[in-house]
Amino acid sequence: MENDLTIRKIIIISKVEESSIEVPLTKGLNIIIGKNKTGKSSIIKTIFHSLGCEIKFDEDWGKLNKRSIVSFSIGSSFFLVERTGNIYTLFASSDDLTLVSYIGTYTYSEFSTKFLELFDIHVTWITKNGDDKPVAPPYIFAFQYIDQDKGWHSIAKSFEKLSYVPNWERQIIKYIVGYQNEEYFRLRKELEKYRILIKEIESKINTLEEFVLNILERERQNTSLSPGTDALDDDFEKSKLILEQLTILEKERIATSNQISQLQNEEYEKKLVVEALNKYSEELVEDHIYASSLDELITCPFCGVVHLNELTEKSELIKDVQTASNILTSTATDLKELQRELTLYQKRFVEIESSYKKMKRELRLLEENTSVIKALKNEGKNDLINTSHLEIEGIKEMRNKYFGTREETQASLKKNESAIRRNKISKEIKVLMGILLERLELSGANVKLSNFLPVLKHTGSELPRVIYAYYISLYLYNLNRIDNPFKWLVIDTPNQQGQDDENLRNINKALELLMDVKGQVVVGTERLTGVEDTAANVFRLKEYKKCLTKDKYSSHVLLLRKLDQLKEESALLQVITDESKKLDH
């Protein structure tokens, strides 16, 4: 199946301002040129926003009460998606949009499923809460977008609300590079389910065994008189209820403890990063202060070489200080949010522990204040203990069965983990990345991948260029693979990342590698790149904060009315169908 994605057109309409914009895109390299605050990034973000990705817009942009339409193709089929608020409507269309037919209106989760079905993607995984979820567009497209802010400081962090699946980057990148298929994710999902089930079963076994031991122990110690039958029945019901609640709390305690451990590991790693960045920033500030105190020429006290120390060199140090500060602020914010989440989980764990201990005390008091154990010397006691033992054995048998199935699943999963294939893919990406780094004047940089993800040890103005090289390498690698939806890349504003003129020229040189019409690249930039004459498409924005105009507003409103009419007709047809079914019954 041919499933490569191409964005054909972006249409944004604001009835508040009675204006709109239409940005045509094509295969090959597309360049959107516009100075700061011309709406360039907001237009680019609209692509992903319309395709089901949560993204942070400029505050002024959010006030426009806008509707967006994105025209795209998958292979030889053409579609439109229109997003209003959190509702997505999908249409099939002709290439020129003259013919449009309604497919459906969806919530986010419904749209995610339907949209990925168009690509024949059926990847599912387990969330950190144990829920079975299909993969969503922001996870699939996280490696196709460098955001103007967060995207230049880390990998696959341009979208928001991607925390419900732990370590998702290390999972989904295996699919994106073609190392693992949907069967692999099915096996991983099954393996996670067995892990959760086995933990729950073991918790239940522990609770039942503790219950039987308590009965036998209390029987040995108890010397009080037997109560009446009604009191016994009442105490049994209370004991049963408390045991059920203890089982629920035990499961939640295990899940919360696991989450705390994971967050503490992430907190430790983040603190190490912040510490390293602090040290690096301090060194840069000291370098700047020292350079500012010297003349325009500096003679090295060791080798005698004379170095320039003019305003340009000092400005470069300031840029590096600003870049390091931006990265530090972003990382510190992430750390603070992570610590807030950790505190909530720790607080919840304390609450669970408190409730657990309280119920344990209630169970002990219930046993101590009654002579249930004495009465259990009759046949009822033996029946209860025997029933509990049988239930324990049955649960253990089920657990052992799960152990066996889990081992089989692990063996099947291991067969998919081919070291030879992994190394082959990594090598191909490294070779491409080496070519890119050379173009970016970073030929001495060490290319290291971990699970197909780059190990980012660079700081200052080098970091954005290394990230840039990785994204392009990944794009070029997928460009040569058959039948995959990852032959497109969106890059937003590389010239805002503390790059000097020479670095920017090198960055623009890399664009020469992105002309192939087998794929699609969209680049937003403030300045001319030097490849406009050879690019497939160039779109210019001119007015400050006024990318929406009156030029095509009327035709865009007509298109919206046409789409709304198709939705209304479909809704009416559904009502008639439902009423007809009622009459038949």
Side-chain angles (χ1 to χ4, degrees), residues 288 313-323:
H288 174 65
E313 284 70 24
K314 294 175 184 177
S315 298
E316 282 305 305
L317 281 172
I318 294 173
K319 287 181 181 179
D320 284 346
V321 171
Q322 290 172 340
T323 301

Side-chain angles (χ1 to χ4, degrees), residues 28-89:
L29 177 62
N30 298 262
I31 302 176
I32 301 177
I33 303 173
K35 292 184 179 179
N36 193 27
K37 297 294 183 182
T38 54
K40 170 179 70 275
S41 294
S42 295
I43 292 170
I44 288 172
K45 287 178 179 181
T46 297
I47 298 172
F48 295 99
H49 180 71
S50 300
L51 299 183
C53 304
E54 287 307 314
I55 214 160
K56 188 176 181 180
F57 282 98
D58 180 270
E59 187 176 345
D60 292 337
W61 188 261
K63 297 176 183 177
L64 295 178
N65 190 24
K66 60 198 175 300
R67 291 174 70 178
S68 62
I69 300 170
V70 170
S71 167
F72 62 95
S73 63
I74 299 174
S76 57
S77 301
F78 294 87
F79 302 93
L80 287 180
V81 61
E82 185 264 323
R83 177 172 179 176
T84 303
N86 292 320
I87 300 299
Y88 304 79
T89 306

Side-chain angles (χ1 to χ4, degrees), residues 436-583:
L436 264 298
L437 290 174
E438 189 173 347
R439 288 213 174 205
L440 298 171
E441 298 294 330
L442 289 172
S443 55
N446 183 27
V447 180
K448 187 175 181 182
L449 298 182
S450 173
N451 197 33
F452 309 112
L453 294 172
V455 178
L456 300 176
K457 294 184 178 179
H458 299 266
T459 56
S461 62
E462 286 188 357
L463 179 62
R465 283 182 284 162
V466 173
I467 290 173
Y468 183 67
Y470 173 72
Y471 275 94
I472 293 179
S473 302
L474 192 61
Y475 165 77
L476 292 174
Y477 167 77
N478 278 320
L479 201 60
N480 294 317
R481 288 174 56 218
I482 299 172
D483 293 342
N484 73 88
F486 308 115
K487 299 176 183 177
W488 65 302
L489 177 63
V490 180
I491 305 167
D492 193 6
T493 326
N495 45 291
Q496 285 186 345
Q497 312 310 317
Q499 304 297 310
D500 58 27
D501 288 342
E502 184 177 353
N503 287 345
L504 276 177
R505 281 194 294 272
N506 292 329
I507 285 173
N508 290 334
K509 279 182 187 177
L511 296 177
E512 296 170 358
L513 301 173
L514 306 177
M515 302 294 178
D516 198 325
V517 293
K518 286 190 297 185
Q520 180 181 44
V521 179
V522 179
V523 177
T525 176
E526 291 184 3
R527 309 180 193 177
L528 292 173
T529 64
V531 296
E532 280 73 20
D533 290 342
T534 51
N537 177 42
V538 178
F539 189 89
R540 289 176 168 82
L541 298 166
K542 297 180 180 179
E543 293 192 54
Y544 178 76
K545 287 192 175 182
K546 283 192 176 181
C547 67
L548 304 185
T549 66
K550 308 287 184 183
D551 298 351
K552 294 187 176 181
Y553 179 70
S554 298
S555 61
H556 290 156
V557 169
L558 288 175
L559 177 58
L560 268 183
R561 286 176 184 167
K562 181 178 180 179
L563 299 182
D564 288 341
Q565 184 179 352
L566 288 170
K567 283 192 281 187
E568 290 170 5
E569 289 173 355
S570 177
L572 180 60
L573 182 61
Q574 186 62 49
V575 170
I576 294 171
T577 303
D578 292 343
E579 290 299 322
S580 176
K581 287 180 180 178
K582 289 179 184 178
L583 290 173

Side-chain angles (χ1 to χ4, degrees), residues 108-110 112-113 116 121-127 131-137 139 164-165 189:
Y108 168 71
S109 59
E110 293 168 340
S112 295
T113 302
L116 294 179
I121 293 176
H122 305 280
V123 173
T124 58
W125 49 24
I126 298 290
T127 70
D131 299 324
D132 189 352
K133 289 261 187 181
V135 70
Y139 293 98
Y164 68 79
V165 177
K189 181 183 70 175

Side-chain angles (χ1 to χ4, degrees), residues 20 175 179 253 267 286 310 361 367 419 452 458 568:
S20 64
Y175 183 79
Y179 176 60
R253 183 168 67 169
E267 180 190 30
E286 288 174 3
E310 296 180 343
R361 286 196 299 271
E367 293 172 353
F452 309 112
H458 299 266
E568 290 170 5

